[in-house]
Amino acid sequence: AQKITQTQPGMFVQEKEAVTLDCTYDTSDPSYGLFWYKQPSSGEMIFLIYQGSYDQQNATEGRYSLNFQKARKSANLVISASQLGDSAMYFCAYRGYQKVTFGTGTKLQVIP
Amino acid sequence: SQTIHQWPATLVQPVGSPLSLECTVEGTSNPNLYWYRQAAGRGLQLLFYSVGIGQISSEVPQNLSASRPQDRQFILSSKKLLLSDSGFYLCAWRAPDTDTQYFGPGTRLTVL
């Protein structure tokens, strides 16, 4: 079974600084996908970014980028120029066949 | 564009009462549908998923059940709620042959 690990329960970052949220996974699947979602206090899960296992380049979406290191089985999220509205829970997720498995999340707090 | 609806938004139910949560998707056909539960301060646990009408896969044995009576409708039910059923229930959809899951706004269930 696939396992996905987020080792940082909480992180602080100064406004306008960059922050990296860690995510590692364990799989023997030849093809898979990795996601990051943001969950603000309202509870909605907001899709941020996706990386396919065969994608040659790291995914980027605006201020979000995914640092994908396949050999190390890591898929860290980098948020550049943090904003106060970035304060939220962030979940890494692994997509296997038909199912997505979520990590336990990292609570990010942006300090003014 | 595709939208996903869940209702009710919040629900307070006594132990032993029945439950019915509804999820509908608009703007797509034959989506894969998912029910997740999130306990307070925790990650997401996949409960059920469906790849078509009447096709339900259960991930966790429990007193909950799911049904898909129509292509874009997914229902989560229980005959008798337990205290441990309290949580935040999220429905998600994924278009066939795509990777990303998109989530509904969620239902916050409190069992007293």
Side-chain angles (χ1 to χ4, degrees):
Chain A
Q2 297 80 21
K3 184 178 179 180
I4 189 151
T5 304
Q6 294 181 255
T7 57
Q8 305 154 313
M11 291 277 288
F12 290 92
V13 64
Q14 203 75 36
E15 193 179 6
K16 300 180 184 178
E17 296 293 313
V19 63
T20 298
L21 306 183
D22 294 341
C23 174
T24 59
Y25 59 95
D26 185 18
T27 186
S28 55
D29 293 341
S31 177
Y32 52 89
L34 296 152
F35 303 86
W36 279 91
Y37 287 86
K38 172 185 179 181
Q39 187 178 40
S41 57
S42 60
E44 59 185 316
M45 291 287 284
I46 302 168
F47 166 72
L48 295 178
I49 196 166
Y50 170 77
Q51 179 85 42
S53 60
Y54 284 106
D55 293 342
Q56 295 296 318
Q57 293 189 324
N58 288 345
T60 59
E61 289 287 347
R63 294 186 299 111
Y64 304 107
S65 60
L66 199 152
N67 184 1
F68 180 48
Q69 298 190 38
K70 193 171 182 178
R72 298 179 61 182
K73 294 186 178 177
S74 73
N76 299 339
L77 176 70
V78 180
I79 305 175
S80 62
S82 297
Q83 301 172 358
L84 295 178
D86 293 335
S87 293
M89 284 290 291
Y90 288 81
F91 291 95
C92 182
Y94 173 96
R95 190 266 306 152
Y97 177 69
Q98 298 290 8
K99 296 184 292 185
V100 175
T101 305
F102 286 79
T104 52
T106 296
K107 183 173 184 178
L108 177 67
Q109 296 184 64
V110 180
I111 305 167
Chain B
S1 63
Q2 299 87 5
T3 56
I4 179 169
H5 304 279
Q6 283 185 250
W7 62 91
T10 60
L11 192 59
V12 180
Q13 292 284 98
V15 170
S17 64
L19 173 74
S20 181
L21 303 181
E22 190 163 344
C23 170
T24 59
V25 182
E26 296 177 356
T28 187
S29 296
N30 196 31
N32 290 0
L33 297 172
Y34 305 83
W35 277 112
Y36 290 88
R37 177 170 61 200
Q38 186 179 29
R42 306 290 294 274
L44 274 69
Q45 179 187 37
L46 178 63
L47 302 175
F48 301 95
Y49 69 93
S50 172
V51 299
I53 295 174
Q55 300 179 62
I56 309 294
S57 295
S58 174
E59 288 297 300
V60 183
Q62 57 210 326
N63 70 320
L64 298 173
S65 62
S67 62
R68 185 168 176 176
Q70 301 180 45
D71 182 42
R72 289 168 288 177
Q73 184 184 31
F74 205 22
I75 297 172
L76 183 69
S77 303
S78 174
K79 292 182 180 178
K80 287 187 178 181
L81 284 169
L82 306 173
L83 287 174
S84 58
D85 291 325
S86 293
F88 190 52
Y89 287 82
L90 287 156
C91 181
W93 73 275
R94 177 173 67 87
D97 299 324
T98 66
D99 294 294
T100 304
Q101 285 188 0
Y102 297 95
F103 285 83
T107 294
R108 202 166 298 278
L109 172 66
T110 304
V111 182
L112 301 174

